[in-house]
Amino acid sequence: MKFTDGQWLLQPGLSAHYACEAYRIDVQAARIVVLATTRAIKHRGDTLQGPVLSLTLSSPLEGVIRVAVAHFAEGEPPRLHVPMPGATAPAVRIEEDERCVRLHSGTASVELRKGEGWQLTFRDGDRLLTRSDWRSLGYLQWGERGSFMHEQLTLSVGETVYGLGERFTPFVKNGQVVENTNKDGGTACEQAYKSVPFYLSSRGYGVLVDEAGPVSFEVASEKTTRVQFSRAGESLAYCVIAGPTPKAAVQRLTALTGRAPLPPAWSFGLWMTTSFTTQYDEATATHFIDEMARRELPLAVFHFDCFWMREFEWVNFQWDPRGFPDPEGMLARLHAKGLKISLWINPYVAQKSPLFDEGVRGGFFLKRPDGRTWQTDLWQPGMAIVDFTHPGAVRWYQNHLRRLLAQGVDCFKTDFGERIPSEGVVYHDGSDPVEMHNLYALKYNEVVFNLLREEKGEDAVVFARSTYASGQRFPVHWGGDCWSTFESMAESLRGGLSLTSCGFAYWSHDIGGFEGHPPPAVYKRWIQFGLLSSHSRLHGSSSYRVPWLVDEESCDVLRRFTRLKHRLMPYLYAQAIAASATGVPMMRSMLLEHPDDPACAALDRQYHLGDALLVAPVFTESGEVEVYLPDTGRGDWTDLLSGQRRPGGRWVREVHDFMSLPLYVAPGSVLPFSDEDSRPDHDYARGLVLRVFALADGASAPFEVPSVDGRIAVRGRVHRQGMRYTATVEQGALYDWGLEVDGLSSPRHAGAGQITWSAA
């Protein structure tokens, strides 16, 4: 939201009161409390009338500085904030001299200038991060529109900003206005299913606005050298998170807001769905599954979308008997085919559903101020919305899901959760509906994920569309409604990279696009992109997404890249284990992986998949693609599919058929590559080839091999001396394994702890 009219004027009818002077400073044990006046105090008469601002400087985690500011202490209902399960009481150090007072938390610090001339300066060690400066911190009164609080933090020359949730607009957010409010807008607009009030700076720090309610960001848009964030009301809180690199800032963010649990290994295989409005029943689903098997197209999960339930009754949590007369038997038969089963759900209950009267009697829905159930026709006629602040409603909802799990369902697609009213409703716990709008999706996913954890243990996984800050704790998330075009494929990637820049470890999207009918070229290129994402799902709206209905070559492409992903699972699952442990996402922007390479700052058509793989999806029918290979200082990049080596520090223009795309391995990498290509969850320590890429003479590189139970089962190193390569297992054991260098393979070894082999 813009409050000024250019550099000098304010919007008509607006009064602005900017922090001008730190008039009184109270240094306490672990925080600094500040009385900031909005005019210079020259004599006692200046202390009369206001407004004044109360600030508290503290630290919720080492390396994080929190700033909380308020005008009227009782001027609004209690604010809700971003969940911070990792918050601690870190040791802080406070220094004071004649000029300023400083609070240190680890290497991070905030310095408050004393007296006239407002300034908060944030540093990481001696390095300046950002400042709250002249006319940065402001309290604004805007007639009938009410009061607002804003902060403006400075940007340095060349500094770029990323994140703010799953945003499908340009990847670099400089120049954009971003409204931090969840909406069901699709991928082709500025709205977001997954709002996260966190931005990541190319200078290696992040800013988390600690608010649940709507926050408006002006990213170098109102003031070209500042990021402004504002909220209606009387208070505002934010955290400055030190790095010193963008990746380190994301790690610290997730240490504060929570990290993603490790999804089960089977979830990394191919998911296929019935699609949304297509006609289907048990026979149709079984036909598609059997045809996939006949064509040797590996399938891990089958998903039943909305119409597994009867129309006009979503949700009733009952299989439609017209299409699924024997659900328990069907699920047993599908499990016998080696499949996991996913079901679509949402947090709404249609008036026609048998559950509607149950929910009304129990008081389990959002209510109107007069006590009646709030209803709408937007989506399901007469639907109500489950109130997840009501403990009884949570148990009721979970018990219906528990019954489905007992039938044989393995996981749920938690769709919707964005169209939540911000006014005219009452929550059971008294929460302000404005504050709850964004948090609703988070609570919804938490309720379902916690049930799955209770019933399935480490096998818990959801497929969620909407969420909020800290939502990475309930994986996995997908990108929502996209179109069947190259442009929508590219905007989906931008959204994913923006979301993972906010600490979301796992992300997926609808292969082929959701809306429309994908042309063969789009479908096949999206298959490549989808199978080189953390999670991979075929899904559409009004047409089936099975490959043979597109063309025969689509079957070949799907087979090749599904099997490639399975062979990469020893590497991918080790990267997933690291993502859950560190908070660094599996799919990450080039900026996150190569922050010191200026050419990577704006790259949004390629990404890293873990530490070693660089993926550049093809967004053209002709197969033409440009890819940038950073200079790592360790040697050449190697195309995993062709074996071609290319030096870093340059752009490369390539043309690829549908069986390939730019898929490069970073120099100095050891990639564990499996013989098993029929399923994602197998014994990764058996039938393994350690593929060595551009390892310098005299250098060593580590490797890790996971187990499907989520542990790193094998650790070791490969050392090169001339053309002699030595692979040493330092922990665990490998069986029937070997080495490969430049396409040359060593003899296989049954179980030796070391292989020494000449690649000459």
Side-chain angles (χ1 to χ4, degrees):
M1 178 179 291
K2 292 179 172 63
F3 299 102
T4 56
D5 179 9
Q7 179 68 41
W8 310 115
L9 304 179
L10 298 173
Q11 294 288 348
L14 187 145
S15 299
H17 310 276
Y18 299 109
C20 175
E21 177 178 342
Y23 180 77
R24 182 182 301 166
I25 300 172
D26 181 13
V27 176
Q28 301 180 2
R31 63 179 187 169
I32 301 171
V33 179
V34 183
L35 177 68
T37 62
T38 57
R39 56 180 170 177
I41 305 301
K42 302 297 185 182
H43 54 78
R44 286 188 171 186
D46 292 334
T47 64
L48 302 177
Q49 302 187 61
V52 296
L53 304 177
S54 299
L55 273 81
T56 301
L57 308 178
S58 61
S59 175
L61 186 76
E62 184 176 301
V64 179
I65 304 296
R66 186 176 189 269
V67 180
V69 57
H71 173 230
F72 288 151
E74 295 293 321
E76 59 192 0
R79 283 278 174 95
L80 300 177
H81 296 282
V82 173
M84 295 183 181
T88 62
V92 301
R93 178 168 52 91
I94 298 176
E95 302 173 333
E96 186 173 9
D97 57 32
E98 293 181 356
R99 188 181 64 86
C100 63
V101 58
R102 301 179 191 88
L103 184 146
H104 298 263
S105 175
T107 61
S109 67
V110 59
E111 177 183 288
L112 170 67
R113 176 187 291 174
K114 288 184 174 181
E116 189 175 350
W118 177 258
Q119 190 173 82
L120 285 174
T121 303
F122 300 90
R123 290 188 173 88
D124 187 2
D126 294 330
R127 189 169 65 94
L128 173 67
L129 300 179
T130 186
R131 296 190 308 273
S132 171
D133 226 328
W134 179 73
R135 290 193 172 183
S136 285
L137 181 60
Y139 174 69
L140 307 111
Q141 296 166 310
W142 202 346
E144 294 182 355
R145 301 183 69 168
S147 58
F148 298 82
M149 192 78 72
H150 80 48
E151 176 66 289
Q152 296 175 350
L153 298 180
T154 58
L155 292 172
S156 301
V157 174
E159 185 174 355
T160 44
V161 170
Y162 310 88
L164 293 170
E166 186 186 50
R167 299 287 166 181
F168 307 105
T169 54
F171 178 54
V172 176
K173 299 303 182 284
N174 296 52
Q176 297 185 41
V177 179
V178 177
E179 300 298 336
N180 183 70
T181 302
N182 283 357
K183 292 187 176 181
D184 178 7
T187 67
C189 67
E190 82 285 358
Q191 295 178 5
Y193 300 106
K194 307 169 188 67
S195 294
V196 181
F198 170 81
Y199 67 85
L200 181 67
S201 165
S202 60
R203 287 177 52 80
Y205 70 94
V207 175
L208 174 67
V209 181
D210 186 14
E211 300 286 345
V215 179
S216 181
F217 289 85
E218 297 281 348
V219 187
S221 48
E222 182 168 10
K223 301 297 182 186
T224 58
T225 59
R226 295 178 178 181
V227 177
Q228 174 179 289
F229 42 91
S230 61
R231 268 219 67 178
E234 301 289 320
S235 64
L236 184 67
Y238 65 93
C239 298
V240 176
I241 302 172
T245 64
K247 184 185 288 188
V250 170
Q251 288 180 283
R252 189 165 274 131
L253 167 71
T254 55
L256 181 63
T257 61
R259 289 181 174 149
L262 178 68
W266 55 260
S267 73
F268 288 78
L270 180 63
W271 298 47
M272 187 173 77
T273 87
T274 57
S275 290
F276 171 32
T277 60
T278 53
Q279 293 291 329
Y280 61 87
D281 52 19
E282 179 180 348
T284 306
T286 302
H287 166 72
F288 287 149
I289 291 166
D290 290 346
E291 186 65 11
M292 291 285 283
R294 189 187 73 80
R295 292 172 178 267
E296 299 182 326
L297 299 170
L299 189 62
V301 183
F302 191 80
H303 169 73
F304 290 90
D305 219 56
C306 314
F307 283 96
W308 70 272
M309 294 176 285
R310 190 165 188 144
E311 70 276 9
F312 292 115
E313 295 188 11
W314 303 341
V315 291
N316 63 14
F317 297 129
Q318 297 286 345
W319 292 87
D320 184 349
R322 296 170 299 177
F324 307 99
D326 178 23
E328 290 87 353
M330 178 188 69
L331 294 174
R333 291 187 286 273
L334 295 182
H335 281 148
K337 297 175 186 289
L339 295 173
K340 300 290 186 178
I341 303 302
S342 167
L343 285 187
W344 177 94
I345 61 173
N346 70 190
Y348 313 138
V349 178
Q351 183 171 278
K352 186 66 175 174
S353 168
L355 301 187
F356 184 84
D357 288 342
E358 282 186 29
V360 171
R361 288 195 302 270
F364 297 154
F365 299 137
L366 298 187
K367 291 184 171 61
R368 298 183 183 277
D370 63 6
R372 293 178 298 153
T373 297
W374 187 93
Q375 290 181 263
T376 180
D377 286 329
L378 189 60
W379 179 239
Q380 288 288 285
M383 74 175 202
I385 298 177
V386 178
D387 182 354
F388 290 116
T389 73
H390 190 315
V394 170
R395 291 190 297 271
W396 174 72
Y397 194 86
Q398 287 180 328
N399 284 337
H400 283 291
L401 298 182
R402 187 176 282 110
R403 172 174 45 79
L404 293 167
L405 295 175
Q407 288 181 334
V409 173
D410 296 289
C411 59
F412 298 104
K413 170 184 168 182
T414 49
D415 206 354
F416 286 82
E418 309 92 356
R419 297 177 182 177
I420 307 301
S422 296
E423 59 183 6
V425 293
V426 176
Y427 281 86
H428 175 78
D429 72 349
S431 291
D432 182 345
V434 173
E435 300 289 294
M436 276 297 299
H437 174 86
N438 289 331
L439 285 184
Y440 184 90
L442 188 69
K443 289 184 174 293
Y444 164 41
N445 284 304
E446 182 177 23
V447 165
V448 179
F449 189 85
N450 284 349
L451 170 68
L452 287 165
R453 265 293 166 93
E454 179 185 329
E455 295 290 324
K456 297 286 187 178
E458 300 302 311
D459 258 10
V461 65
V462 296
F463 218 82
R465 186 173 79 174
S466 61
T467 189
Y468 193 60
S470 86
Q472 66 271 4
R473 295 177 291 145
F474 316 116
V476 170
H477 298 86
W478 103 96
D481 297 347
C482 47
W483 290 86
S484 300
T485 64
F486 283 121
E487 292 79 9
S488 196
M489 181 176 159
E491 74 200 12
S492 294
L493 176 56
R494 292 196 299 271
L497 295 180
S498 294
L499 184 67
T500 61
S501 297
C502 299
F504 282 70
Y506 310 105
W507 177 80
S508 187
H509 44 95
D510 290 342
I511 294 175
F514 176 72
E515 294 287 358
H517 300 269
V522 171
Y523 183 78
K524 285 176 276 199
R525 294 303 184 190
W526 213 317
I527 285 173
Q528 298 172 339
F529 172 33
L531 269 301
L532 290 167
S533 300
S534 81
H535 287 74
S536 312
R537 185 180 71 153
L538 294 163
H539 183 59
S541 177
S542 58
S543 63
Y544 303 114
R545 286 294 185 261
V546 292
W548 55 89
L549 295 183
V550 178
D551 63 15
E552 283 301 317
E553 188 180 36
S554 294
C555 297
D556 299 332
V557 175
L558 185 63
R559 184 182 305 109
R560 173 172 173 78
F561 283 93
T562 305
R563 292 185 181 277
L564 174 64
K565 187 174 189 183
H566 291 169
R567 297 193 71 187
L568 284 168
M569 275 301 293
Y571 164 75
L572 294 175
Y573 208 48
Q575 293 294 310
I577 292 170
S580 289
T582 67
V584 178
M586 284 189 71
M587 297 176 68
R588 62 191 75 152
S589 71
M590 298 296 292
L591 177 279
L592 207 66
E593 194 65 24
H594 305 279
D596 296 326
D597 189 334
C600 291
L603 293 186
D604 60 5
R605 295 194 301 274
Q606 60 187 73
Y607 58 93
H608 259 263
L609 184 58
D611 298 330
L613 291 181
L614 189 160
V615 185
V618 179
F619 298 107
T620 62
E621 189 165 357
S622 65
E624 294 177 275
V625 59
E626 291 182 325
V627 57
Y628 177 74
L629 303 174
D631 184 358
T632 66
R634 300 195 305 270
D636 293 343
W637 293 78
T638 306
D639 189 308
L640 180 65
L641 302 180
S642 71
Q644 184 174 8
R645 291 174 62 159
R646 295 187 183 275
R650 64 188 64 189
W651 283 90
V652 178
R653 180 170 294 173
E654 300 176 350
V655 179
H656 288 263
D657 63 22
F658 292 116
M659 293 298 173
S660 70
L661 80 165
L663 177 58
Y664 281 92
V665 187
S669 299
V670 177
L671 206 63
F673 210 72
S674 178
D675 288 345
E676 172 61 59
D677 64 2
S678 64
R679 57 184 303 117
D681 48 343
H682 53 268
D683 186 351
Y684 304 131
R686 291 186 182 274
L688 198 70
V689 175
L690 299 176
R691 300 182 66 176
V692 184
F693 295 90
L695 185 62
D697 193 3
S700 295
F703 64 86
E704 294 182 331
V705 180
S707 61
V708 292
D709 65 1
R711 297 177 299 108
I712 297 298
V714 181
R715 286 187 171 89
R717 301 189 71 82
V718 175
H719 178 76
R720 177 186 176 187
Q721 197 66 46
M723 294 307 294
R724 184 173 293 275
Y725 291 79
T726 300
T728 304
V729 175
E730 300 168 344
Q731 171 192 314
L734 296 176
Y735 304 93
D736 186 27
W737 64 294
L739 283 170
E740 181 183 306
V741 180
D742 294 334
L744 301 175
S745 298
S746 75
R748 291 295 184 98
H749 289 250
Q754 188 175 86
I755 295 176
T756 299
W757 170 69
S758 177

